[in-house]
Amino acid sequence: MSAMRISQLAARCGVPATTLRYYESAGLLPADRTPAGYRVYGEDAVERLAFIGAAKHLGLPLDEIRELLALWEGGACREVKAELRPRIAARLEEAERRVAELTAFTTSLNSALDHLDALPDRAEPCDPRCGFLARPRRSTSTPVDVTLSPIPTTPPHQRDP
């Protein structure tokens, strides 16, 4: 297959046509046009989409993927590797930080459940005397403050596909 229309490329790579159009508008996936204006892609688009997919799987944002694609197209593999390594290391550091946050949050939630289970069942309405509003006592001597990273609030249609 030397020239594929967008629907053919989408089916072959398992990527929605809307994503391919988005990648084109973002400068990640160039397309030639037929005289009638249809997008057509060569075999290189399959490899390019595989590169984009692998980079997205690593959590890289599209602007970084665009930079890497430029190097990937014309550079040696060692150059791509040299550019990719610090980006992956930064993502790994961020992931490890978030794991620590979630671990602390999990500990806090377990402590809250233990606290709730230890509270007496009262027939009266909840108020400050019931103990629910009191901070649970920890078995450890060091309190754990948890600050979770915000969840992206970008609407789904504006996020990277």
Side-chain angles (χ1 to χ4, degrees):
M1 226 180 223
S2 59
M4 296 171 275
R5 287 200 176 167
I6 195 167
S7 60
Q8 294 167 313
L9 181 62
R12 183 165 172 193
C13 296
V15 177
T18 53
T19 299
L20 299 179
R21 287 186 201 95
Y22 179 79
Y23 285 170
E24 181 185 9
S25 71
L28 299 172
L29 184 67
D32 292 327
R33 299 285 181 153
T34 67
Y38 292 105
R39 292 172 177 87
V40 288
Y41 302 91
E43 287 295 320
D44 60 321
V46 175
E47 289 180 19
R48 191 175 189 89
L49 281 171
F51 183 91
I52 293 168
K56 284 189 64 59
H57 182 73
L58 295 172
L60 298 176
L62 293 183
D63 58 333
E64 289 187 29
I65 295 172
R66 187 180 310 102
E67 294 169 8
L68 289 167
L69 275 169
L71 188 59
W72 177 74
E73 281 183 312
C77 189
R78 72 177 162 269
E79 294 168 342
V80 175
K81 180 182 171 183
E83 282 292 317
L84 196 52
R85 188 171 211 322
R87 296 168 196 251
I88 292 173
R91 297 297 298 175
L92 179 59
E93 185 178 308
E94 173 66 14
E96 288 171 344
R97 184 188 63 74
R98 294 193 78 182
V99 165
E101 288 177 351
L102 288 172
T103 299
F105 186 56
T106 300
T107 300
S108 178
L109 290 173
N110 281 322
S111 179
L113 279 177
D114 291 344
H115 178 69
L116 283 174
D117 290 342
L119 291 175
D121 291 332
R122 295 180 46 205
E124 299 88 25
C126 276
D127 61 26
R129 291 178 293 141
C130 75
F132 172 72
L133 299 177
R135 294 193 126 220
R137 293 196 185 354
R138 297 192 181 276
S139 59
T140 62
S141 59
T142 309
V144 177
D145 287 328
V146 178
T147 305
L148 294 178
S149 298
I151 296 174
T153 56
T154 307
H157 68 280
Q158 292 180 349
R159 290 187 199 143
D160 295 346

